[in-house]
Structure formats: C-alpha cells, structure tokens
Amino acid sequence: MSQNGIVMSQNEIVITDVSPRDGLQNQPVHVPLQTKAEPIDRLVRAGVRQIEVTSFVSPKAVPQMADAGELVPRVVAAHPQLRASALVPNLKGLERAHAAGAPEIAVVLSATETMNQKNINMGLARAIEVSEDALREATRLGLRTRAYVAVAFECPFEGPTDREAVRHCVARMAEAGAQEIVIADTIGAASPGAVDGVIGMLLRDLPADRIGVHFHDTRGMALANAWAALQLGIRRFDASVGGIGGCPFAPGAAGNLATEDLVLMAESSGYRTGLSLPALLEIVDFAEGALNRPLGGRSITWQRKQRAQQSDDVSADRVTG
Ligand code: COA
Ligand code: ZN
C-alpha cells in the first residue's frame, strides 16, 4: 500500500476527518471562518493528514459552505503538507476549488436516482457523467481525486440500495480515474453483514487501497461497520471528530463515526492511526463550545474520565514527588 509515496504497513490506517464539511454543512447557525479554520489547525496538530475542508457547492443549496473560497487558501497556506480535500458536485465546483488552490477534490455521486435528484438536482445517469467529467478534469489539472458513492447501503427515498447499482457507480468512478472511491452509508443504515456483502463484492474488482468507507452512526453500528471493513482489508476511513455530521438532503442522517472512537478502537486493537487521542478530545471540547451543544462519540464519557484521572494522577505525583 502506498500513501503519498510512503509505504503503509498492514496495520496502519488512514483517517480522513470530514468534520469541517460533513459536520458543519448541516449546522443551522452560521459558523464564522475563524471557527472553521481553528479546528482544522488543531486536527493537523493532532496528526490528521487528510481533511475534507469544505465543499464548493451552490451557496443557495448549502449556505454554510459559501466561504469555501476563503477557507481553502488559508488552510493550504497554513498546512502545505495536508491533503486538504474539497467536495465538488460539478465542473463549476471543481473550477472554484482549483482556483482556491485545493490539492484534492471529491465528487459526490449517489447510487440511486432520487438521492441524486434531491442532492444535486439531476438523475443518476447525468450525475455519473458530471462526476466523470469532474474527475477527468481534476486529473488533468494534477489534483488528487476521491469519489463518493453515497447511499451505498440504503437510500432514504428508495429503501435498500441495489448492489449492482453500487457496483456500476464504483466501476464508472474507477474508470474515470478516481484515486480513492469512498463507499458512503449516508444515512447510517448499514450493518456489519451488509458491509461484508457490499465491500466484499467491490473487492473482487478493485484493490483495498483504492476503497475508503464513510459510516454514519444513526443506528449505533458505525464502529461495528468500521471493524467489518477493517477485517476485509480496508484501511481508509472517513470519520468526524466529535461525531458531527449529516447530509441536509438525506432525511434521518445522524452524525458520523467519531474520529476519537475509531482511533480508540483501532489503536487498542493493534492498528496505528498516527492520531493523538488527547489532542482529539481537546478538539471535541473546542467544538462543543463553538457549536454550543454536547458532542462526542460513543466513548467520550469514558475518554474524559480517563483524562481527568490522569490529570489527578499527575497532580498527586507533584504533591508526593
Ligand atoms: N458552486 C457555486 N455555485 C454553483 C455551483 C457550484 N458548484 N454549481 C452551480 N452553481 C450556481 C450556478 O452558477 C447558478 O447560479 P445563478 O442562479 O446565479 O445563475 C445556480 O447555481 C444554478 O445552477 P444549476 O447548474 O442550474 O444548478 P442547480 O440549481 O441544478 O443545483 C447543484 C445543482 C449541484 C449546484 C446544487 O444542487 C448543489 O450545490 N448541491 C450540493 C448539495 C450538497 O452539498 N450536499 C451535501 C453534500 S453530499
Ligand atoms: Zn456523510
């Protein structure tokens, strides 16, 4: 496996934190630019090497992302080594992302007709073509590319997603040159068995290194799904610090798999993520303050207790030492 030319060992996993895009796109109150930039700086300091920073979509569709053209140059200047990715729904989005200096883009294709209509106002066949055009043009421009295949397990409008449709979307994105294809459980309806079925099917056509997974935690199975993917050899995971996330156009979509949960599970099972849990916890604290609501994944209470315990131990050592 390779990542930026570095050979990855089998127990190394690569996490793309999607909180600045997937987490913030749904926030009802406007989040100022500085409040978007600061957690990105903190994520980089916590060891995250790939971040989905924003999206270049219609500001009418998603007002929260209207400042993408200001955020990207700032992030790229501050973190030239970061794989800063931006979601683009069409060529116009790609042009804007490129003009802003984004080194990587992600196209967003849904595997069902209705989800494409609701999300990007075009049907499946057109959405495939638009994504292909954006991928080819991005490749020509020398950008790194990711392609989401959304609602890969279940669609909020059409029910369980046809696996052949997923396979077809993935094949078209692969042929158009997507370097990483991200299988997204947009509404959090997958189960480990379904992950086994869908990812197992895709692995017959593509190497594991080219597939990423993106789970939401609506039914409490995001970690179990990540584990199922890990067992199949997948090493690329999207996650969101504090578990924030959800698509405004997919009813019922709850938060993402929390980055701090994934790191805890992976590291305690012998995998390496390169991310610092204490630093991630501080970002959850920061985001709670900024968004004014409780955040955090499944393990947040335990992780905070551990932190409090450790700081008590340090204080006690100081007193006794
Ligand atoms: N960025 C900014 N503006 C864009 C744009 C982009 N990527 N793509 C289109 N527009 C603008 C057009 O210039 C046009 O502007 P005007 O009204 O001032 O002339 C307007 O949007 C309509 O353009 P059109 O091509 O007809 O788009 P649409 O109305 O059919 O909407 C999308 C299509 C894809 C632009 C819109 O549905 C969208 O942005 N969806 C994103 C959804 C999303 O972010 N989902 C969550 C992540 S999965
Ligand atoms: Zn998502």
Side-chain angles (χ1 to χ4, degrees):
M1 284 200 184
S2 68
Q3 135 100 352
N4 294 336
I6 301 161
V7 174
M8 282 167 65
S9 69
Q10 259 310 98
N11 68 352
E12 191 175 333
I13 75 168
V14 178
I15 297 177
T16 300
D17 193 289
V18 296
S19 59
R21 195 275 304 170
D22 206 341
L24 293 184
Q25 67 184 8
N26 223 356
Q27 297 303 317
V29 246
H30 173 69
V31 179
L33 192 70
Q34 176 57 29
T35 312
K36 288 173 177 153
E38 167 133 20
I40 294 172
D41 295 340
R42 287 170 178 251
L43 283 167
V44 174
R45 289 203 293 274
V48 182
R49 288 178 292 169
Q50 300 184 196
I51 300 178
E52 191 164 271
V53 167
T54 186
S55 57
F56 288 88
V57 297
S58 158
K60 282 183 203 135
V62 189
Q64 191 68 259
M65 300 285 115
D67 56 8
E70 289 168 80
L71 182 59
V72 165
R74 186 173 163 153
V75 170
V76 170
H79 309 290
Q81 302 301 322
L82 176 70
R83 273 182 53 184
S85 182
L87 184 143
V88 303
N90 53 18
L91 276 174
K92 172 153 188 171
L94 171 62
E95 278 162 25
R96 291 177 60 214
H98 183 54
E104 175 167 324
I105 56 97
V107 297
V108 56
L109 170 67
S110 299
T112 67
E113 186 70 22
T114 318
M115 190 63 220
N116 283 301
Q117 289 288 358
K118 301 277 182 189
N119 196 34
I120 54 174
N121 196 28
M122 59 188 92
L124 176 58
R126 180 80 192 121
I128 290 177
E129 288 168 5
V130 167
S131 298
E132 287 173 333
D133 289 348
L135 285 171
R136 293 205 173 99
E137 179 61 8
T139 306
R140 196 187 66 77
L141 292 167
L143 306 186
R144 286 193 56 92
T145 54
R146 307 205 319 151
Y148 280 105
V149 174
V151 297
F153 297 88
E154 193 171 311
C155 170
F157 308 103
E158 296 185 18
T161 305
D162 175 25
R163 283 192 189 167
E164 272 312 309
V166 176
R167 184 181 204 162
H168 178 70
C169 290
V170 169
R172 295 282 292 266
M173 296 302 95
E175 276 163 32
Q179 285 166 302
E180 179 180 348
I181 298 159
V182 187
I183 308 307
D185 180 22
T186 311
I187 58 167
S191 64
V195 170
D196 219 49
V198 171
I199 305 293
M201 167 188 78
L202 297 173
L203 285 171
R204 294 205 287 272
D205 301 329
L206 283 178
D209 190 35
R210 215 161 155 204
I211 300 175
V213 285
H214 177 114
F215 295 118
H216 283 258
D217 203 26
T218 318
R219 301 185 192 180
M221 280 189 262
L223 265 178
N225 293 336
W227 183 255
L230 203 51
Q231 295 314 295
L232 290 166
I234 300 299
R235 295 292 180 269
R236 300 187 180 281
F237 294 84
D238 280 9
S240 170
V241 71
I244 58 174
C247 175
F249 308 99
N256 274 281
L257 169 60
T259 307
E260 64 275 15
D261 280 352
L262 178 60
V263 171
L264 181 64
M265 179 182 78
E267 297 274 346
S268 56
S269 303
Y271 294 91
R272 287 202 316 267
T273 63
L275 272 62
S276 153
L277 273 176
L280 289 173
L281 277 199
E282 281 181 25
I283 306 173
V284 179
D285 297 343
F286 173 86
E288 280 190 343
L291 300 177
N292 200 22
R293 65 184 172 89
L295 298 171
R298 306 266 154 193
S299 63
I300 195 72
T301 308
W302 181 84
Q303 292 210 41
R304 282 185 167 140
K305 273 192 194 144
Q306 287 293 108
R307 177 173 64 180
Q309 179 74 51
Q310 276 156 13
S311 80
D312 284 354
D313 290 350
V314 171
S315 313
D317 281 353
R318 280 210 193 101
V319 174
T320 52

